[in-house]
C-alpha cells in the first residue's frame, strides 16, 4: 500500500520569504502530482512530474521529483498572500487495473503580510 | 478542455433519505471515474473507482451497499448515498480520467449536509 507523508502540515510564513514543502512516498511511483485547494473549493492542478529529476516552475512555485529517494518538493519563492491555500501531493500508480492517486495529508499554507 | 462538472454543488437532506450526485465529463470521454470524500480539514480519501459498463471497485472500508455507483456512459457517473446519516456529511469530489492518459481531472465537488 502506497503511503504518502507531507511535511510540514501547517506552514505560516511572511510575504517575501522562501520555503519548501516535502512529500515522501513509500513505494515506486511513475509520476507525482501537486494540487492546490482553496477553502470550500475542489482541487486545482499545479504540476505533474513524470520522471526522475523532473523540475517544473510556474510563477513563484517550483516542483521537483527524485524517484530514487521517493521525494518530491514544492518550493515557494518570495511568498505572496495569494499563495495561501492547502497544497497536496499525490503520487500515482496502478491499483489493480486502474491508475490511482494517493493523496498526502496536505500542507496548509498561510502567508502573512 | 477537460472539464468535469458535478451536480448538485450543495445538498441538504434529512437523515434516512437518499441523495444522488452526478459527475459528468463535458468535453471528453472518461473510461474511468473516481469518487473521493473529504472531511473538514482532512485529505481526499478515494472511495471507489468506476469503469464504464462495469461494477465499481470500492476501497477498503467503504460500504458498497451504502454508496451506490453507476457509470452508465463514458461521460456520466453517479454516486447515490443511500439512507444518509449525519456522519455522511462531507465534501464529495469526483474526477475523470482522460482516456489513456492517466490524468485525473477533478470536478468542483458536492457538499452534502445530512440533518
Amino acid at each position: 500500500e502506497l503511503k504518502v507523508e507531507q511535511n510540514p502540515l501547517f506552514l505560516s510564513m511572511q510575504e517575501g520569504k522562501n520555503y519548501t514543502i516535502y512529500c515522501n512516498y513509500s513505494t515506486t511511483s511513475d509520476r507525482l502530482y501537486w494540487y492546490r485547494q482553496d477553502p470550500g473549493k475542489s482541487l486545482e492542478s499545479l504540476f505533474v512530474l513524470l520522471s526522475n529529476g523532473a523540475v517544473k516552475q510556474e510563477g513563484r512555485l517550483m516542483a521537483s521529483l527524485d524517484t530514487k529517494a521517493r521525494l518530491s518538493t514544492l518550493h515557494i519563492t518570495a511568498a505572496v498572500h495569494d499563495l495561501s491555500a492547502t497544497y497536496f501531493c499525490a503520487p500515482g500508480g496502478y491499483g489493480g487495473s486502474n491508475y490511482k492517486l494517493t493523496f498526502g495529508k496536505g500542507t496548509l499554507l498561510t502567508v502573512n503580510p | 478542455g477537460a472539464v468535469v462538472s458535478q451536480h448538485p454543488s450543495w445538498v441538504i437532506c434529512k437523515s434516512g433519505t437518499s441523495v444522488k450526485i452526478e459527475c459528468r465529463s463535458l468535453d471528453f470521454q472518461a473510461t474511468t471515474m473516481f469518487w473521493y470524500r473529504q472531511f473538514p480539514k482532512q485529505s481526499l480519501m478515494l472511495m471507489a473507482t468506476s469503469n464504464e459498463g462495469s461494477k465499481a471497485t470500492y476501497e477498503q472500508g467503504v460500504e458498497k451497499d451504502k454508496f451506490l455507483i453507476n457509470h452508465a456512459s463514458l461521460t456520466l457517473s453517479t454516486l447515490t448515498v443511500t439512507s444518509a446519516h449525519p456522519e455522511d456529511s462531507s465534501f464529495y469530489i469526483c474526477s475523470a480520467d482522460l482516456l489513456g492518459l492517466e490524468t485525473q481531472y477533478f470536478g468542483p465537488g458536492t457538499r452534502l449536509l445530512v440533518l
Side-chain angles (χ1 to χ4, degrees), chain A residues 65-83:
Chain A
L65 179 63
D66 181 343
T67 57
K68 294 180 181 178
R70 297 177 190 153
L71 170 68
S72 181
T73 62
L74 180 66
H75 186 74
I76 303 153
T77 302
V80 293
H81 180 69
D82 286 351
L83 290 179

Side-chain angles (χ1 to χ4, degrees), chain A residues 33 37 42 94 98-100 104, chain B residues 34 38 43 51 59 102 107:
Chain A
Y33 297 81
Q37 187 178 36
S42 186
Y94 277 94
N98 292 302
Y99 192 85
K100 298 181 182 179
Chain B
F34 302 85
Q38 185 180 34
S43 187
N51 292 292
E59 295 298 302
E102 300 171 345

